Amino acid sequence: MTMIQSLRSAMDVMMERDDNVIVYGQDVGYFGGVFRVTEGLQAKYGKTRCFDAPISEGGIVGTAIGMAAYGLKPVVEIQFADYFYPATDQIVSEAARMRHRSNGDFTSAMTIRMPCGGGIYGGQTHSQSPEAFFTHVCGLRTVMPSNPYDAKGLLIASIECEDPVIFLEPKRLYNGPFDGHHDRPVVPWSKHALGMVPEGYYRVPLDRAVVFRPGKEVTVLTYGTMVWVAECAAREAGVDAEVIDLRSIWPLDLDTVVNSVKKTGRCVVVHEATRTSGFGAELVALVQEECFWHLEAPIERVTGWDTPYPHAQEWDYFPGPARVGAALKRAVGKEA
């Protein structure tokens, strides 16, 4: 399966298992979504369980909160992550706080899907990576898969979760892994083992990272598209890097992070979002707090720049394998 197909399969499986699961958003019903992730679900389950919503992100999320309070399991789509801002008050003040303010009487068991990230020439309003906004809010879970197998299992786990889950989908990975070399042919998921996705039900835990690439010289902490960029950078730079795919950005699997950094003694943090106050800053602080006496070199950070995502300079902004590879070499003392 492609990631598009695996996400659709997850919703299909859950809609079949539980009549309370409903799917909606802009163009999600008849059209099947701008990326066709929900294609066929309305035809299969009807217009009361998969339907189109007005262009109102606040309305989409606000109605989902009410549905969740009454026991439904809404899975809503924000067409691009860049458009979530009008729904900020509903997400932060209502969904994230519902369990606390009701003393556990109500929850917001809902999943908010958002295609995110660049690499598709989407410019400043179709390329943002806003994960740090959500990790700052207590009461939210934030997830970003890097491959179709994890995407399906994580989405099923998100739909079953009693907390509101922000489910970020790196759209550059929808149809194949991307190592940052935009001038090379796209490799389809059909040629990769992580494109082998079971048809039925399975879960991937929401709070578990995975060692994507074992290594001994340096730990790379990353998620989403940057998992593939980091793996490519390590190979091309000749550095024996251990790449950790966080998968669940928050809550964070701190044990896996700490165990890896204590083993390698070095750490590079990589993400596509802007640098200042990005989630990488939190990762750097945690590694410093938990692994200080094991560190052999300063922690490196490779990110997007502190600018809007530029259309004309897409690949100068995107943290490609050359920039990541240079950081890996600095971390292990192999600078040219």
Side-chain angles (χ1 to χ4, degrees), residues 167-288:
F167 197 93
L168 295 162
E169 303 165 7
K171 48 190 177 287
R172 180 65 208 223
L173 299 182
Y174 271 157
N175 292 304
F178 180 60
D179 63 8
H181 288 292
H182 62 94
D183 52 348
R184 297 179 183 177
V186 175
V187 177
W189 283 116
S190 60
K191 295 185 177 180
H192 199 282
L194 289 172
M196 300 297 291
V197 180
E199 293 285 346
Y201 173 92
Y202 68 92
R203 291 168 54 103
V204 172
L206 289 180
D207 54 357
R208 292 290 183 272
V210 66
V211 178
F212 185 82
R213 179 190 194 271
K216 298 179 180 178
E217 286 189 290
V218 57
T219 297
V220 181
L221 303 179
T222 190
Y223 45 88
T225 304
M226 293 298 110
V227 170
W228 300 95
V229 175
E231 191 274 336
C232 174
R235 185 174 65 252
E236 294 181 351
V239 175
D240 186 20
E242 180 154 286
V243 178
I244 305 296
D245 181 357
L246 298 180
R247 301 195 298 193
S248 177
I249 304 174
W250 202 261
L252 178 70
D253 181 3
L254 189 57
D255 288 344
T256 297
V257 170
V258 169
N259 290 339
S260 179
V261 175
K262 285 184 176 180
K263 179 180 74 173
T264 65
R266 293 171 170 83
C267 182
V268 175
V269 174
V270 184
H271 62 64
E272 190 178 344
T274 49
R275 181 180 181 88
T276 301
S277 299
F279 188 64
E282 181 69 22
L283 291 172
V284 170
L286 287 169
V287 170
Q288 185 78 357

Side-chain angles (χ1 to χ4, degrees), residues 92 96-97 130-142 249-250 277-279 282:
V92 174
R97 314 290 196 225
E131 62 271 11
F133 284 91
F134 305 115
T135 59
H136 185 68
V137 179
C138 55
L140 295 178
R141 292 177 179 264
T142 306
I249 304 174
W250 202 261
S277 299
F279 188 64
E282 181 69 22

Side-chain angles (χ1 to χ4, degrees), residues 23-30 42 47 50-64 67 76-80 83-84 86-87:
V23 174
Y24 66 101
Q26 296 167 26
D27 296 323
V28 162
Y30 176 81
Q42 186 179 89
K47 294 181 180 179
C50 181
F51 53 89
D52 297 318
I55 302 175
S56 172
E57 289 76 15
I60 291 169
V61 175
T63 54
M67 292 177 184
V76 298
E77 178 182 303
I78 304 297
Q79 198 167 78
F80 288 86
Y83 300 159
F84 90 88

